[in-house]
Amino acid sequence: MKKLLFAMLAVMCVTTAVSAASLYTVTINDTNIQAVQDAAIEIMTGKNFSIEEITPYKAVFTKGFGDGFWTVSRLCYVNLAFVERDGNVKVMVSETEKIGAIIRQRSINHLVPLIQQIKSAVDGTPLSQVQNEAVDQLPGSGNEREKALGLVLDDQMGPNGIKIMSVDPGSLAKDSGILALDILSEINGRETTSMTPSAVKTYLANKMAAKSSIMIIVTRGAEKKLFTIDPGE
């Protein structure tokens, strides 16, 4: 009976893995590997993962499942690889599991909330805006992903507008030339100082959802710069 249960579980796991993501890549902005590792350790151990290995370039966490009698014993290894570049850290997350003598790749879908928490804890990106960058987006691949606006805004309104805390790599804002620490002064002719920070974020989100053009004026030092972002392109 035990062997039969093991065989059934193995078949189910392999079937699930075919349709599930096996790699999650995310860029954490304006930070270093040490800060990302510290956040990962706190969040992963808080979910009862154990530290298997920590090096300057990776972190490995483990967690066991099953009692070996009623359910098959599984030992899962979560691998986080780090690449630091231009003041940002790219994190690549994968997972393998060992079932008896079998070692195989495992879906990382159940880890997505933890990865989102790590990025949010380090660079302040809202959880809902954290996306997997490990997608084949070549034209015709069927996996093309619409670009996000990519602006992370301050929670406070300044005298000249709302500060842009960071700009996500590969986003529409990044492509347009908007920079972190720019002050968002106007949106579609409306001064942001006449709005609350929450209203600014909601307005931008609604425009993105409607694929409407957004004219943005930022204050950069003593200059004002105009950018037009078209989510529909």
Side-chain angles (χ1 to χ4, degrees), residues 149 187-188 195 198-214 231:
L149 177 59
I187 310 172
N188 289 348
M195 309 165 69
S198 177
V200 172
K201 296 173 185 178
T202 300
Y203 181 85
L204 290 171
N206 289 341
K207 287 297 182 182
M208 287 294 296
K211 299 188 186 304
S212 300
S213 295
I214 308 171

Side-chain angles (χ1 to χ4, degrees), residues 26-40:
V26 67
T27 302
I28 303 180
N29 303 311
D30 302 321
T31 189
N32 55 63
I33 290 176
Q34 182 64 58
V36 176
Q37 285 186 338
D38 289 346

Side-chain angles (χ1 to χ4, degrees), residues 121-150:
V122 178
D123 68 11
T125 301
L127 297 177
S128 61
Q129 294 183 17
V130 182
Q131 297 181 334
N132 188 358
E133 299 167 11
V135 177
D136 176 13
Q137 298 186 68
L138 293 175
S141 68
N143 291 324
E144 296 92 339
R145 184 176 66 233
E146 294 180 357
K147 288 190 175 184
L149 177 59

Side-chain angles (χ1 to χ4, degrees), residues 28 36 40 59 68 76 79 85 95 111 117 128 147-148 169 175 177 179 193 197 205-206 215 221-222:
I28 303 180
V36 176
C76 296
N79 305 279
R85 185 175 299 160
E95 184 174 13
L111 296 173
Q117 288 178 42
S128 61
K147 288 190 175 184
D175 291 348
L179 303 177
T193 51
N206 289 341
M215 294 181 63

Side-chain angles (χ1 to χ4, degrees), residues 20-199:
S22 59
L23 178 66
Y24 196 107
T25 299
V26 67
T27 302
I28 303 180
N29 303 311
D30 302 321
T31 189
N32 55 63
I33 290 176
Q34 182 64 58
V36 176
Q37 285 186 338
D38 289 346
I41 289 170
E42 180 178 353
I43 290 168
M44 297 298 288
T45 56
K47 293 297 183 180
N48 298 319
F49 284 86
S50 299
I51 299 173
E52 176 75 10
E53 182 181 5
I54 299 288
T55 76
Y57 306 104
K58 70 176 180 178
V60 181
F61 300 90
T62 61
K63 190 173 185 179
F65 299 89
D67 58 13
F69 183 77
W70 294 107
T71 56
V72 176
S73 293
R74 295 182 293 136
L75 184 60
C76 296
Y77 296 82
V78 179
N79 305 279
L80 282 70
F82 308 106
V83 178
E84 188 169 354
R85 185 175 299 160
D86 299 328
N88 303 320
V89 176
K90 186 176 288 292
V91 184
M92 290 152 283
V93 184
S94 61
E95 184 174 13
T96 57
E97 68 178 357
K98 184 176 182 181
I99 309 175
I102 299 174
I103 298 176
R104 70 177 191 91
Q105 198 78 19
R106 188 168 190 259
S107 163
I108 48 80
N109 288 2
H110 68 109
L111 296 173
V112 170
L114 302 183
I115 301 168
Q116 292 173 329
Q117 288 178 42
I118 293 170
K119 176 172 169 62
S120 181
V122 178
D123 68 11
T125 301
L127 297 177
S128 61
Q129 294 183 17
V130 182
Q131 297 181 334
N132 188 358
E133 299 167 11
V135 177
D136 176 13
Q137 298 186 68
L138 293 175
S141 68
N143 291 324
E144 296 92 339
R145 184 176 66 233
E146 294 180 357
K147 288 190 175 184
L149 177 59
L151 291 179
V152 178
L153 302 178
D154 196 357
D155 292 327
Q156 303 293 325
M157 183 65 66
N160 299 314
I162 186 168
K163 183 185 292 184
I164 298 171
M165 305 303 292
S166 64
V167 181
D168 292 340
S171 65
L172 292 172
K174 185 72 171 181
D175 291 348
S176 72
I178 296 174
L179 303 177
L181 304 184
D182 282 348
I183 304 298
L184 179 53
S185 302
E186 293 183 28
I187 310 172
N188 289 348
R190 183 176 179 182
E191 293 184 355
T192 56
T193 51
S194 68
M195 309 165 69
T196 65
S198 177

